[in-house]
Amino acid sequence: MSALCAFTSKLLRRADIGNVGHKAEPVAAGIRLLLDELRARLPDTKLLLMATFPRDEHPDTPFRKEVADLNRIVQAYRDGEHIFFLDIGEFFTDYRQDISADIMPDFLHLSAAGYGIWRSNMDQTLKRLMHGREGRIASVERPGGPLNLRKPAL
């Protein structure tokens, strides 16, 4: 099991924050190339592609729109067998699609509460994808032998 997360630093261009300035389509094409390479090198590995998290306080900004476009494109990469997609962006926003400073103090980086939301959703998803049965530890094959996956201590 591997997870791939694409963050917003490759989208749009803002010199003051160092963003590269690509639009959703070329970023999505790069993600597709990464997925294809991972599938070629790790054919038996399940890949969890995370949706890019929303950013900016309000939903009508260019960054937020570009993130939504990117997520619409890359969600089509899931095949339900080897590539899975998880979008938890809705858990970072309220009913107006605004981001709370309690979740992202600068409307970009997660707070402890934001990381808690991410962790909780990842835990649930990884359990579904990795466990053959409820409560059973999955054994994942890797070069050098199996790796027993256990819940990390907090």
Side-chain angles (χ1 to χ4, degrees):
M1 182 87 236
S2 291
L4 178 65
C5 304
F7 297 104
T8 64
S9 61
K10 297 293 182 203
L11 295 173
L12 298 176
R13 178 172 269 315
R14 266 190 59 191
D16 60 322
I17 58 174
N19 286 51
V20 173
H22 298 298
K23 301 296 269 176
E25 292 82 6
V27 174
I31 291 169
R32 179 77 255 182
L33 288 172
L34 287 171
L35 290 169
D36 290 346
E37 184 68 21
L38 287 168
R39 288 283 303 125
R41 291 182 186 215
L42 304 165
D44 298 323
T45 299
K46 291 180 181 179
L47 302 172
L48 177 61
L49 175 60
M50 295 286 304
T52 299
F53 296 160
R55 62 176 291 168
D56 297 336
E57 183 176 11
H58 304 293
D60 56 350
T61 67
F63 274 118
R64 188 79 80 88
K65 291 175 183 175
E66 207 65 34
V67 166
D69 289 346
L70 175 61
N71 289 335
R72 271 192 290 279
I73 296 167
V74 301
Q75 73 178 343
Y77 299 162
R78 69 177 158 212
D79 63 16
E81 183 179 351
H82 299 287
I83 301 172
F84 302 86
F85 182 77
L86 177 62
D87 185 350
I88 61 171
E90 68 183 287
F91 296 102
F92 299 127
T93 62
D94 64 17
Y95 70 95
R96 294 177 307 231
Q97 301 300 308
D98 288 339
I99 295 174
S100 165
D102 293 336
I103 304 297
M104 293 182 189
D106 61 357
F107 308 108
L108 173 61
H109 300 97
L110 296 175
S111 66
Y115 279 109
I117 292 168
W118 189 4
R119 179 183 170 267
S120 174
N121 281 278
M122 286 289 291
D123 280 352
Q124 293 173 30
T125 302
L126 292 174
K127 284 176 185 173
R128 276 198 338 264
L129 293 176
M130 293 173 59
H131 292 199
R133 291 191 310 228
E134 187 69 29
R136 189 168 168 225
I137 302 295
S139 180
V140 177
E141 292 298 322
R142 66 181 178 115
L147 173 66
N148 286 324
L149 302 173
R150 303 204 187 291
K151 187 175 179 180
L154 297 178

